[in-house]
Amino acid sequence: MDAMAPEEYASQSKLLQEFTNVPSIDSASILKTNDEDRSRAMFSISQPDLLANTNRKYVLYSHITTRAGTGTTSPDFQWSPFPTETTGVSATVPSPSGSKLLVVRNGERGCPTKLEIVCQSHVEKEIHVAGSVHGPLYTDEWFHGVSWNQEETLVAYVAEAPATPRPAFNRSGYTREEGCSEGDCSAWKGQGVWEEDWGETYSKKGRPSLFVLDIPRGEVVAAKGVPTSLSVGQVVWAPESPGGRHKYLVFVGWSERNGFFQNTARKLGIKYCSNRPCALYAAPCPIQGPEPPGNPPATTDGKSGSGGAVARNLTPGFSSALFPRFSRDGRLLVFLSSKQAVDSGAHNATDSLHVINWPSDWKMDEQLDVTQVVPVVMCPEDDDGGCFPGLYCSSVLPDPWLSDGRTVILTSSWRSAEVILSVDVLSGKVARITPEDSCYSWRALALDGTNVLAVSSSPIDPPSISYGRRLAVTPAEGEARRWTWDEVTSPFMASNSKVKSLLLHHSVSILKIPVPSPSADLSDGGKLPLEAIFVSCSCKGSSRSPTVVVLHGGPHSVSVSSYSKSSAFLASLGFNLLVVNYRGTPGYGEEALQSLPGKVGSQDVEDCLAALDFAVEEELVDASRVAVVGISHGGFLTTHLIGQAPDRFAVAAARNPVCNLSLMAGTTDIPDWCYVVACGTQAKRYASEAPSPGHLRLFYQRSPIAHVSKVKAPLLMLLGGADLRVPASNGLQYARSLIERGGDVKIMMFPEDIHEINLPRSDFESFLNIGVWFKKHLNAVA
């Protein structure tokens, strides 16, 4: 604790606790009923538990009543009186009919994984899966996949493959592994051969593999025909062939050799990286139905008597295919492609949407045609944000189809907002269906027939439930006018009331900032205005309040106008917030995004300074009282700004920042990132585990450490000791360099945290210390 301000720590920690207590609405499912006017919603919510250093998870139910087909009456939500805590539960997945629930309890420290089939009154079946079959199920946002078949007799899912056998030793030397357990004091297991992993957050996990649970038999069977060179995720069931003779699984497969350095394959980190090559595959279910009498046994490739099962690549012409989703009638299969990211090397880029017409009698030897539905948008048709900028989807709902069978609902970034889109898969028409005249961001949670259950928020308004209804309008009025949104009275309103009162006098606006001195060789998209989200206190004199410049990481990620606990906390302390979406941010078209690789440390720095200059010229902020904070690439920009513009910033905080690309290239799980951001998208062919002297020199020149001698601002450095993306050595080297030069530096290390520093206690302490640090140094220049 800083000895200067124990009272400040006490008051700010009490205030931060109010923001920490606000629950997060993570996901929702709609459960069918026999009444078309009624449905049930199951919400998954979470809340930090600081004492246990975990997130509490709850389930909250609501009955929804509408007047089906009219679209004229607001829905009625009847909530359960209390949420139910789901201690020890890793995932809950309702069956298609809503009559059953799969409850997953992942085993820890060698304990079996438990799979429970729950009906409306009791646990119908409980299956314990030994570690020799598979490890914990994947429940992350990338490899996660749990899918019921329509008959609700089988569940396909992705789990960790069994651990590779390791040698065992005792006092006599080598012994059989079977005779040695982790708790055996008379023997130990050796380390075995090192295996590459998927990097950040996945370093201790087994290979993502495909399994099927046979519920009636209580058995788990591994999928056949899937090469061990593939990591599997996002599995769904294909429609059954007539008579149920063939059952197929469709899934995403990532090659375990996804990066090539000097023609040598290796495994690169996948977290936050949509540029890893992948494809859609189909494989036969290992549990097939009985053969009709008189028919010869069919083999897994769809041919009689040919033998052998090999997963079929359904998208051989695509370097990327993600989130496969079948329409409810089984005729259409849509998927997203991040081909633009894979081909360019940018770690995120503009997506495209594609569809496959799925034959009812499809067989494994049949190649299917793929049709593009929504192409990559290179440059929006206008510069005021009104035209569709392209698809930027971090996930897709498990069932994104409206009941018309041709419209999918997607959540996507649209400049500085997150919006909900409808896409007509047959015509390719895209419409923004959430309101355009607000600073709110929206996220679809689930579909209820022709309606959408969503969550909306703004930087000063905590998340609330909204219900979108599709109205009957003429075609000339357009799809966007068909939608009306009702704010739902929910229990979340009570938990949000204290935070709303703390931010009652704040306002939000989106600033459009002209590109500073655009060069002639810039693309049209690269010349479009960038944006910044400005949060200020609407009371008199707010322009004299200190301002915090907030910078996102990536660089190809985005700050959207949604509620953020940390930003709301900083605003409640009396700071204005200037949240900059510099060029390279998704949501503005592909040309704007691709304008940054090869120019980091210059173009992005200029954009941040241009945003600050704009806010000063508009008399929104006091130029003498400015702080800056960022994580990852945002930390890269933070440390660049205090070095390149040392007189513009009174104080700074950096969370796991990139400070020296030449050091990071040899220690990160994504060394290709260093080449792309520093050298441009053509750098993939130069990438090497042993960078040339020229590349090392360029990496250094583009890094904040090249400007460390000019830094004047006090710096708070926050580091995760288990970060594999930007190892702590990067921030430590920079901080020690500042200390060596007499700089005012405070270092905080969180030993168990990864890149995000998101363990509840660590997150709490991070922003508490940022608040105190900023108050101390900004008050000093008041």
Side-chain angles (χ1 to χ4, degrees):
M1 181 181 293
D2 193 325
M4 51 70 67
E7 296 85 3
E8 191 67 31
Y9 273 96
S11 63
Q12 285 201 28
S13 63
K14 185 176 181 180
L15 179 63
L16 182 54
Q17 187 75 58
E18 297 290 347
F19 292 88
T20 302
N21 288 338
V22 174
S24 299
I25 305 169
D26 301 327
S27 62
S29 301
I30 295 292
L31 310 179
K32 297 177 182 178
T33 67
N34 294 326
D35 187 341
E36 65 174 2
D37 291 346
R38 296 176 182 272
S39 56
R40 288 175 296 159
M42 182 179 75
F43 294 87
S44 296
I45 58 179
S46 59
Q47 182 184 25
D49 182 347
L50 295 176
L51 293 180
N53 204 23
T54 60
N55 285 306
R56 288 192 179 102
K57 295 183 178 181
Y58 300 89
V59 171
L60 184 64
Y61 288 90
S62 178
H63 287 269
I64 307 172
T65 304
T66 60
R67 291 178 60 187
T70 65
T72 58
T73 305
S74 298
D76 177 51
F77 279 67
Q78 295 293 324
W79 296 87
S80 54
F82 303 105
T84 301
E85 186 169 2
T86 53
T87 304
V89 174
S90 305
T92 54
V93 185
S95 66
S97 70
S99 63
K100 296 179 181 179
L101 190 68
L102 171 69
V103 177
V104 178
R105 300 181 188 272
N106 277 332
E108 306 220 347
R109 297 196 176 115
C111 295
T113 294
K114 297 180 183 179
L115 305 176
E116 300 169 0
I117 305 299
V118 182
C119 66
Q120 294 180 340
S121 62
H122 64 284
V123 176
E124 187 177 286
K125 187 157 288 191
E126 180 177 304
I127 300 96
H128 291 217
V129 186
S132 58
V133 178
H134 66 64
L137 272 67
Y138 274 88
T139 57
D140 65 309
E141 72 282 359
W142 211 235
F143 294 115
H144 168 69
V146 178
S147 181
W148 290 77
N149 70 340
Q150 284 300 315
E151 292 76 17
E152 303 185 356
T153 57
L154 304 173
V155 178
Y157 58 85
V158 179
E160 297 181 35
T164 303
R166 291 182 288 158
F169 303 90
N170 58 21
R171 291 171 180 168
S172 301
Y174 176 77
T175 185
R176 292 173 59 86
E177 185 190 22
E178 290 81 359
C180 172
S181 64
E182 293 290 350
D184 190 345
C185 297
S186 61
W188 76 93
K189 289 184 179 180
Q191 294 304 310
V193 178
W194 175 77
E195 296 180 0
E196 286 190 314
D197 54 50
W198 285 110
E200 175 75 4
T201 75
Y202 298 108
S203 63
K204 296 179 181 179
K205 293 183 175 293
R207 176 171 51 85
S209 303
L210 186 56
F211 298 87
V212 175
L213 167 63
D214 185 332
I215 297 173
R217 296 177 180 173
E219 296 176 352
V220 171
V221 182
K224 305 296 191 296
V226 181
T228 56
S229 60
L230 286 183
S231 285
V232 171
Q234 304 173 14
V235 61
V236 294
W237 289 93
E240 285 193 12
S241 60
R245 185 180 177 191
H246 299 294
K247 297 183 179 73
Y248 297 110
L249 298 165
V250 173
F251 56 90
V252 179
W254 287 266
S255 171
E256 302 245 330
R257 296 291 179 262
N258 61 78
F260 289 87
F261 278 31
Q262 301 301 307
N263 297 317
T264 303
R266 65 156 292 183
K267 202 170 182 178
L268 297 170
I270 199 170
K271 180 81 170 178
Y272 317 116
C273 298
S274 62
N275 65 333
R276 302 303 176 219
C278 56
L280 294 190
Y281 291 85
C285 172
I287 305 166
Q288 293 289 343
E291 291 294 329
N295 284 357
T299 58
T300 52
D301 62 0
K303 298 178 181 178
S304 297
S306 59
V310 178
R312 178 65 183 260
N313 187 338
L314 300 175
T315 55
F318 289 77
S319 56
S320 171
L322 297 159
F323 303 115
R325 299 291 187 266
F326 280 98
S327 59
R328 294 172 189 173
D329 61 10
R331 296 179 181 179
L332 301 174
L333 171 62
V334 295
F335 65 91
L336 284 175
S337 175
S338 295
K339 181 178 184 296
Q340 205 71 25
V342 174
D343 295 350
S344 69
H347 280 66
N348 286 299
T350 313
D351 297 323
S352 54
L353 184 70
H354 305 264
V355 66
I356 295 173
N357 287 293
W358 192 270
S360 61
D361 58 349
W362 182 77
K363 296 180 177 59
M364 288 278 288
D365 60 348
E366 183 179 353
Q367 188 60 52
L368 301 171
D369 294 329
V370 179
T371 302
Q372 181 174 260
V373 178
V374 180
V376 169
V377 174
M378 298 305 295
C379 180
E381 295 178 3
D382 67 351
D383 60 2
D384 63 2
C387 286
F388 175 56
L391 288 176
Y392 304 91
C393 305
S394 59
S395 62
V396 176
L397 292 175
D399 180 9
W401 294 87
L402 291 181
S403 55
D404 64 4
R406 60 182 292 166
T407 304
V408 295
I409 298 297
L410 301 173
T411 300
S412 178
S413 299
W414 185 307
R415 301 179 76 87
S416 293
E418 196 168 40
V419 304
I420 300 176
L421 305 173
S422 71
V423 181
D424 187 322
V425 172
L426 301 185
S427 69
K429 186 176 181 179
V430 180
R432 176 177 177 172
I433 65 172
T434 43
E436 299 181 24
D437 56 349
S438 76
C439 290
Y440 279 71
S441 280
W442 300 72
R443 175 168 56 92
L445 293 173
L447 305 188
D448 188 11
T450 60
N451 304 322
V452 178
L453 188 64
V455 61
S456 62
S457 68
S458 83
I460 58 174
D461 287 298
S464 61
I465 302 296
S466 294
Y467 194 80
R469 293 178 288 124
R470 202 181 193 197
L471 306 178
V473 299
T474 63
E477 292 180 278
E479 180 67 14
R481 293 183 178 272
R482 296 188 67 173
W483 291 85
T484 184
W485 291 89
D486 301 304
E487 185 174 5
V488 175
T489 302
S490 74
F492 301 108
M493 290 182 169
S495 61
N496 295 344
S497 59
K498 182 62 181 292
V499 166
K500 293 194 76 163
S501 68
L502 292 168
L503 301 172
L504 184 62
H505 299 292
H506 289 71
S507 61
V508 181
S509 58
I510 306 295
L511 308 180
K512 295 189 182 299
I513 298 118
V515 169
S517 306
S519 61
D521 62 342
L522 259 183
S523 62
D524 290 341
K527 297 174 183 176
L528 295 179
L530 57 130
E531 289 184 342
I533 303 166
F534 186 64
V535 180
S536 65
C537 183
S538 53
C539 55
K540 188 176 180 181
S542 64
S543 62
R544 293 192 296 274
S545 299
T547 297
V548 178
V549 177
V550 181
L551 303 172
H552 66 71
H556 307 304
S557 59
V558 58
S559 292
V560 295
S561 58
S562 60
Y563 178 81
S564 161
K565 173 186 65 180
S566 54
S567 295
F569 165 67
L570 292 176
S572 74
L573 292 174
F575 300 132
N576 298 323
L577 304 181
L578 186 66
V579 186
V580 183
N581 280 320
Y582 45 87
R583 281 173 294 165
T585 297
Y588 295 80
E590 184 66 8
E591 288 182 354
L593 186 146
Q594 294 291 354
S595 70
L596 182 56
K599 301 176 185 176
V600 296
S602 53
Q603 177 178 294
D604 44 4
V605 170
E606 292 168 5
D607 286 355
C608 295
L609 292 174
L612 181 57
D613 290 340
F614 182 89
V616 171
E617 290 167 8
E618 294 292 316
E619 299 184 347
L620 299 173
V621 304
D622 180 350
S624 67
R625 304 180 71 198
V626 179
V628 60
V629 62
I631 185 171
S632 193
H633 190 84
F636 172 88
L637 289 173
T638 295
T639 46
H640 253 306
L641 286 165
I642 61 175
Q644 292 195 44
D647 296 319
R648 302 294 302 274
F649 301 93
V651 63
R655 305 175 67 218
N656 281 331
V658 177
C659 297
N660 187 348
L661 287 166
S662 56
L663 173 62
M664 181 179 169
T667 57
T668 179
D669 64 332
I670 54 166
D672 58 318
W673 182 90
C674 300
Y675 283 90
V676 171
V677 297
C679 309
T681 57
Q682 301 302 313
K684 290 195 295 182
R685 63 175 180 265
Y686 306 124
S688 170
E689 298 288 359
S692 68
H695 281 132
L696 287 173
R697 189 160 45 248
L698 178 63
F699 290 162
Y700 185 87
Q701 292 168 351
R702 296 217 182 272
S703 298
I705 200 163
H707 305 277
V708 70
S709 62
K710 297 176 283 185
V711 173
K712 299 178 181 178
L715 175 65
L716 172 62
M717 184 71 76
L718 302 135
L719 303 172
D723 186 357
L724 299 180
R725 182 58 43 93
V726 186
S729 56
N730 230 264
L732 283 174
Q733 182 194 45
Y734 184 88
R736 286 167 172 160
S737 298
L738 282 179
I739 294 170
E740 187 179 283
R741 292 165 170 78
D744 186 356
V745 181
K746 178 178 177 178
I747 304 171
M748 295 190 70
M749 180 72 72
F750 301 93
E752 304 301 319
D753 273 86
I754 56 174
H755 191 53
E756 289 181 274
I757 313 184
N758 60 356
L759 289 174
R761 291 179 190 169
S762 306
D763 178 73
F764 185 89
E765 288 187 53
S766 292
F767 285 96
L768 172 60
N769 279 276
I770 289 171
V772 173
W773 185 255
F774 282 179
K775 275 246 178 174
K776 171 186 175 181
H777 292 284
L778 288 169
N779 286 343
V781 295

